[in-house]
Amino acid sequence: MLPLVASWGFLFGALGLGIYTVLNTQFDPTQIALTFLFPYYALCTALQYVWPEQANRFEKGEVLTDSLHNVALVAITGFTDFFIHVLVAATGTGLLFHFGVLPESWAAHHLPLWAQVLIAWLTFDFMFYVTHRMGHEIDALWRLHSVHHCAHRLSVLNASRAHPLDLIWRRLIPVFVTFQTGVSPEAFIMSGMIGSVLATITHMNVRFRFGWLNYLIGTNEIHRWHHSNQLHEAQNYSVVMLWDHLFGTFVYPKHRTRPTQMGLFNEHAYPIHHYLGQLLVPLTWSRMKARQAQAGSQPHDTDAGPMTRLADGPEFLDTLPLPADR
């Protein structure tokens, strides 16, 4: 009972403090980041060493790789924020309203702030679900998104482990669609803070226990299954579990706390902890697949083991289980 109370207290306490900060700073993104989000990220990181779900054993090159990804995230966030500001300045309440396709009176910014925040949050998360699932099911996009899945455990530090192109397109498309609803920038900022709080929890290596809340929100108990190296387990694409329930991608095994193994199914020749190598993955993919195929054709290569089996299907499945394992 105590873990459940502590887990819920942390989640709702963070949300409450975040909402208070947004309102108290008059929706100033810089002040929100400095006074709430950065301290929140630091607390979440520290908590992993106080109440860990898995032992914090770092692999060679892991810390450096994740640190470089986090530095890159700061630069990429600045880049995407520039385009978001341009979008808001150019379209105001959304393109359909801007060009008179729909009456401006239908724009969401005419609603109360709480309703706008709900619309922005659900719209963004739905598009996050769509783009995230595309990143898994379309070969060219999986080449980018595979970088995020090469870590062997969840951590706040590796939540930002992602190819820059993957980060950019999977952020800008949800943002663009969200602004087409006509929500105000204030509502978008508030929904973004809520999304940041919940998204950080999904990657926390902390022994949280959320009970039935797992069916509603993509907590770390739910999201760790998304990082399973088994295709039938590697789902749960959203933060609002509504979309996974609706589209049949919700996974929550009853009698296991985590996947047998996290990461890529076939990681032979993959740059697991090499930042530059991960940036070049889209260019070196064919060569890597050839090396994996060569290793898979050598049954006596004990170093390769079962991780070298290749899938009989689209190339994006090469790092995931055989179709029979689905």
Side-chain angles (χ1 to χ4, degrees):
M1 185 62 181
L2 182 58
L4 185 70
V5 172
S7 302
W8 281 50
F10 181 85
L11 188 154
F12 288 107
L15 286 175
L17 185 57
I19 292 171
Y20 171 81
T21 302
V22 172
L23 296 174
N24 195 54
T25 58
Q26 286 76 50
F27 302 90
D28 184 333
T30 301
Q31 289 301 312
I32 294 168
L34 292 176
T35 61
F36 173 71
L37 286 177
F38 289 162
Y40 171 70
Y41 297 150
L43 175 62
C44 290
T45 302
L47 196 57
Q48 297 181 131
Y49 302 94
V50 177
W51 195 21
E53 172 67 30
Q54 291 181 268
N56 290 289
R57 298 190 182 95
F58 294 101
E59 299 172 2
K60 183 179 179 180
E62 179 180 353
V63 175
L64 176 60
T65 300
D66 290 338
S67 298
L68 291 173
H69 275 294
N70 277 278
V71 171
L73 175 65
V74 175
I76 293 168
T77 298
F79 175 78
T80 56
D81 283 352
F82 168 77
F83 281 96
I84 292 171
H85 287 303
V86 171
L87 172 68
V88 174
T91 66
T93 59
L95 291 174
L96 295 179
F97 309 108
H98 183 71
F99 291 106
V101 178
L102 294 176
E104 200 279 334
S105 60
W106 290 11
H109 69 264
H110 293 293
L111 298 171
L113 181 63
W114 68 266
Q116 292 185 59
V117 171
L118 184 62
I119 290 172
W121 185 39
L122 291 178
T123 303
F124 186 95
D125 195 69
F126 174 70
M127 292 309 303
F128 178 83
Y129 175 91
V130 171
T131 55
H132 196 179
R133 189 168 178 179
M134 288 172 64
H136 281 257
E137 298 184 357
I138 297 176
D139 175 50
L141 299 179
W142 170 248
R143 298 184 186 201
L144 299 174
H145 190 58
S146 63
V147 172
H148 182 64
H149 281 262
C150 66
H152 294 142
R153 61 187 177 85
L154 294 190
S155 168
V156 174
L157 294 177
N158 63 36
S160 300
R161 178 184 287 223
H163 196 282
L165 295 179
D166 184 44
L167 281 174
I168 291 171
W169 87 271
R170 289 201 305 112
R171 174 168 169 76
L172 287 183
I173 289 180
V175 167
F176 176 79
V177 174
T178 299
F179 272 111
Q180 302 320 301
T181 65
V183 296
S184 65
E186 290 79 10
F188 180 79
I189 290 170
M190 180 69 81
S191 68
M193 181 282 299
I194 294 172
S196 295
V197 168
L198 297 178
T200 302
I201 288 177
T202 66
H203 262 261
M204 289 181 67
N205 179 28
V206 174
R207 199 178 305 167
F208 284 138
R209 295 294 180 264
F210 289 102
W212 60 264
L213 197 61
N214 287 312
Y215 291 93
L216 302 179
I217 298 174
T219 66
N220 61 345
E221 289 188 272
I222 290 296
H223 191 67
R224 64 176 62 115
W225 294 101
H226 176 72
H227 283 263
S228 170
N229 73 337
Q230 299 296 309
L231 182 60
H232 65 283
E233 294 176 343
Q235 300 190 63
N236 297 336
Y237 297 104
S238 54
V239 175
V240 181
M241 287 293 103
L242 169 65
W243 316 122
D244 286 286
H245 287 299
L246 285 177
F247 299 110
T249 53
F250 180 75
V251 174
Y252 186 25
K254 299 292 186 181
H255 305 295
R256 296 161 60 199
T257 59
R258 73 172 76 98
T260 301
Q261 184 169 337
M262 299 184 201
L264 302 175
F265 181 75
N266 189 339
E267 58 185 22
H268 181 77
Y270 197 97
I272 302 297
H273 299 310
H274 192 288
Y275 182 73
L276 181 59
Q278 291 172 1
L279 293 184
L280 296 176
V281 159
L283 301 178
T284 60
W285 187 267
S286 297
R287 188 192 321 160
M288 183 175 62
K289 293 292 102 179
R291 292 176 62 185
Q292 290 179 345
Q294 182 180 20
S297 66
Q298 301 173 5
H300 302 296
D301 186 353
T302 56
D303 290 335
M307 295 296 291
T308 58
R309 292 182 295 167
L310 299 180
D312 298 324
E315 191 173 14
F316 79 88
L317 293 178
D318 286 357
T319 53
L320 294 168
L322 293 165
D325 294 334
R326 286 186 279 179

